[in-house]
Amino acid sequence: MHAGSDLLRSKSLDRDSFNSGDWFNRLDFTYQANNWGVGLPVAGKNQDNWGIMAPLLANPDLMPEAGDIELMAALYQDWLAIRDSSELFRLETAVDVQERVVFHNVGTAQLPGLIVMTISDETATDLDPLHEMIVVVINANDEAQSFTDADLVDLELVLHPVLADSLDAVVKTSSFDAAAGTVTVPGRTTAVFVEQIPVTEQIDLLIDKMEQLYQDGEMRWADYRLLKLRLQLTKRFLERGREHVAIRQLNIFNRHVNLLVRWDRLDAAIGAELVEDANAILDRIKNQ
């Protein structure tokens, strides 16, 4: 991340602003302006392009408004949240990269301007208990692009939850056809798809987390048993196709966790994490 890239920082087209001072490097953390059009950048590496730069910098239509900068800042937070959502985005060794990362759309028949990357958690050590596969599609074309690969057939891919809830209405139109193994992404858009574990397994992981909290002395036995019962009921109702009752059980789970925090029987940070996990399950059930 380069300073100010989340604020549409412009430097007024300065190609090398290291010695340009605050006049060109200014960052406006009030999100009102991005320092566009404050003058021709210093000669150095820019003078040969002054003829191109001058009319652009003088064009008020190219200056973003505060709303544009605020939107960019929000979307940047989306991408940071996506990166934080899985260790698969933070592989630490060359071996992990070689075993897990595959670039598709390669060779002489590749579609121009399209990068398709998969990151697998189905090999070696399980790094991400919630996701088996991540698919990243970067479409640099002006128009939407579709890419088909046999490796994607029958995968249960969905748009990453952060993007599904994003302020970016364009990325939400990205889609996946499991039968054909085809991803479709709008022009000038990056989309991330994930293959999530079954929601019942996600519930089991939450139960395991609570059991560890009990073993670590962070939760009383009676509280652990009661919360575990709610999750077991949630799972049972899901398996019987009674999603509305499962949702009710999870809502009761959340209320009970909040009460434990209020009664000082559960650390507030731990309680918030449990509620966040339960809400993630709720979102999946509601969107099925």
Side-chain angles (χ1 to χ4, degrees):
M1 176 179 177
H2 194 278
S5 55
D6 57 329
L7 308 179
L8 294 177
R9 179 190 186 191
S10 73
K11 300 189 291 185
S12 285
L13 299 179
D14 194 336
R15 291 185 58 196
D16 185 355
S17 64
F18 184 77
N19 290 316
S20 297
D22 292 342
W23 186 262
F24 288 98
N25 285 307
R26 181 173 177 267
L27 291 174
D28 181 0
F29 291 104
T30 68
Y31 299 173
Q32 297 306 300
N34 75 333
N35 216 38
W36 174 262
V38 297
L40 279 173
V42 295
K45 298 180 180 179
N46 300 294
Q47 188 170 5
D48 290 345
N49 292 310
W50 275 353
I52 299 173
M53 293 176 173
L56 295 175
L57 293 169
N59 185 351
D61 293 335
L62 298 181
M63 183 179 296
E65 298 180 354
D68 300 319
I69 299 173
E70 291 170 358
L71 176 61
M72 180 61 188
L75 298 182
Y76 216 95
Q77 292 301 313
D78 283 351
W79 289 106
L80 291 177
I82 289 171
R83 182 183 185 277
D84 186 59
S85 69
S86 174
E87 286 193 33
L88 295 175
F89 283 118
R90 305 188 300 278
L91 301 178
E92 297 180 351
T93 69
V95 172
D96 266 343
V97 172
Q98 291 165 353
E99 289 184 346
R100 299 171 184 272
V101 179
V102 175
F103 285 94
H104 307 259
N105 189 37
V106 295
T108 57
Q110 66 181 267
L111 299 174
L114 191 71
I115 297 174
V116 181
M117 176 182 72
T118 56
I119 314 173
S120 174
D121 201 31
E122 297 177 339
T123 61
T125 305
D126 186 8
L127 296 180
D128 186 342
L130 297 180
H131 304 112
E132 296 297 331
M133 176 77 73
I134 294 175
V135 180
V136 180
V137 184
I138 303 173
N139 180 13
N141 296 283
D142 291 338
E143 305 298 330
Q145 295 288 312
S146 294
F147 175 79
T148 300
D149 194 303
D151 290 342
L152 304 180
V153 172
D154 291 336
L155 293 184
E156 296 183 7
L157 295 175
V158 296
L159 193 63
H160 194 290
V162 171
L163 295 181
D165 194 42
S166 175
L167 293 174
D168 183 356
V170 176
V171 74
K172 291 181 180 180
T173 65
S174 303
S175 62
F176 173 66
D177 182 339
T182 300
V183 287
T184 300
V185 175
R188 297 186 180 275
T189 298
T190 297
V192 177
F193 299 87
V194 292
E195 183 184 28
Q196 298 173 309
I197 63 172
V199 68
T200 51
E201 292 183 21
Q202 194 169 344
I203 294 172
D204 288 336
L205 288 175
L206 183 51
I207 292 174
D208 291 343
K209 177 183 287 189
M210 291 194 309
E211 182 175 357
Q212 189 62 52
L213 289 172
Y214 163 68
Q215 292 176 355
D216 292 342
E218 298 287 352
M219 182 180 289
R220 298 182 185 183
W221 169 252
D223 296 333
Y224 161 66
R225 289 293 300 167
L226 185 57
L227 291 174
K228 179 180 179 180
L229 176 61
R230 289 300 173 192
L231 294 178
Q232 289 174 327
L233 288 172
T234 300
K235 183 177 176 180
R236 187 177 306 166
F237 286 125
L238 281 177
E239 291 170 342
R240 295 177 179 177
R242 301 178 65 185
E243 287 81 3
H244 64 289
V245 185
I247 289 172
R248 189 183 310 154
Q249 293 299 320
L250 280 172
N251 285 329
I252 295 173
F253 173 92
N254 280 345
R255 287 198 294 271
H256 196 127
V257 169
N258 288 328
L259 283 174
L260 292 178
V261 171
R262 188 183 307 171
W263 295 335
D264 292 327
R265 283 161 57 175
L266 186 65
D267 178 79
I270 293 175
E273 185 176 337
L274 293 178
V275 169
E276 181 180 1
D277 290 347
N279 283 338
I281 296 170
L282 272 169
D283 289 341
R284 289 191 62 186
I285 296 173
K286 292 176 181 178
N287 293 325
Q288 283 181 346

